[in-house]
Amino acid sequence: MQNVLNSVKGTALGVAEYLTPVLKESKFRETGVLTPEEFIAAGDHLTHHCPTWSWAVGDESKIKPYLPKDKQFLITRNVPCRRRCKQIEFVGEENLVEENDPDGGWVETHHYNPDDAGSSGLEDKVCEMKLDSSRIEDEQAADMDDPRNLEDGDADGDDGDDEDGAAIDMDEFEESGLLETVDPSNALLPAPNEKPKAVVSSEVEGDSVVRTRTYDLHITYDKYYQTPRLWVIGYDENRKLLSVEQMYDDVSQDHAKKTVTMETHPHLPGPNMASVHPCKHADIMKKIIQTVEEGGGELGVHMYLIIFLKFVQTVIPTIEYDFTQNFNITNHK
């Protein structure tokens, strides 16, 4: 049902974007939006400071006339994604930040309730922990720094090496041929008559080999919302396209199928791509601008995409794309 609603909404927004005139005058400081020219300036700044990003043209039939032909959208390829979101997400109480939001609100997953601090599950689990005294005694006895071990060694009056007898004569050891059998340069080579073992897929055996996915990320200009828009498409380690559900595994579960939906790329044909909906981007940027100005700084429009990539990473936290410069929100000029 959610996918149907997203599809209908996407079609309606496509029509609205077509009818929306191109923004000509800058409203960056007032509302946090961009003109196409400001988007290009921010993109040039991003590609200069982070060379993994570059400009792309896309399909000739989908070129937007309000953007330069050779700078239709930004792209970075083969970004690693080593973990799934479920492996790192906090499991606990959620707090709805904006209850009256028609799009469902923004969820604060790391909400802390001080009233429940005295009865937290973590505290109960710590109280239930028990120590095996016999195991502790064994470990202490095996510890070379333990005083008991030092006392035992002093009482014997002899080093442990003296109990092993006389040292082995190296000439006899070489003549015995044992040195050749343990030659480290041949240790990993199979024996002449040994058949090679069949390679078994680690996924079947369930070993600990990490299967790294990769993603291509695109940033387009959304004419309706007048902000950048992030698109991602994922591949497995064999560069095979991930399924929709597999890509949702790499999206924060608070945003999957809500803030992040599968839609048609505005510049490319082919399968739908996961996109971070831009309806909140201008409001977030406006708040950041106000915070910087309250701290006595001034935020230039060329920094837009640097900051944009940092705040959308909360939606796709395991895709390791952010190698951009650091940004001080309290005072930036």
Side-chain angles (χ1 to χ4, degrees), residues 102-123:
D103 293 328
W106 289 78
V107 179
E108 179 188 3
T109 58
H110 292 67
H111 177 64
Y112 172 71
N113 188 353
D115 298 334
D116 296 338
S119 60
S120 65
L122 179 60
E123 184 177 345

Side-chain angles (χ1 to χ4, degrees), residues 2-3 14 18 21-22 55-56 63 92 114 126 158 170 172 174 184-185 219 260 288 291 308 331:
Q2 185 66 41
N3 291 334
Y18 177 78
V22 178
W55 286 106
I63 288 180
V126 171
D158 296 325
M170 289 305 298
E172 295 179 1
E174 290 184 27
S185 64
I219 302 176
V260 178
I288 293 175
T291 302
F308 168 79
N331 188 4

Side-chain angles (χ1 to χ4, degrees), residues 36 41 60 80 99 118 133 141 145 152 156 192 233 277 284 311 317:
E60 292 284 342
E99 298 182 357
S133 58
D145 294 332
D152 293 342
D156 294 340
I233 186 165
H277 201 271
I284 295 174
F311 70 69

Side-chain angles (χ1 to χ4, degrees), residues 118-132:
S119 60
S120 65
L122 179 60
E123 184 177 345
D124 296 338
K125 291 184 180 296
V126 171
C127 294
E128 293 174 0
M129 293 175 63
K130 297 180 180 180
L131 298 176
D132 188 347

Side-chain angles (χ1 to χ4, degrees), residues 9 98-105 280:
K9 184 184 293 186
E98 298 184 23
E99 298 182 357
N100 299 324
D101 184 13
D103 293 328
K280 298 288 184 181

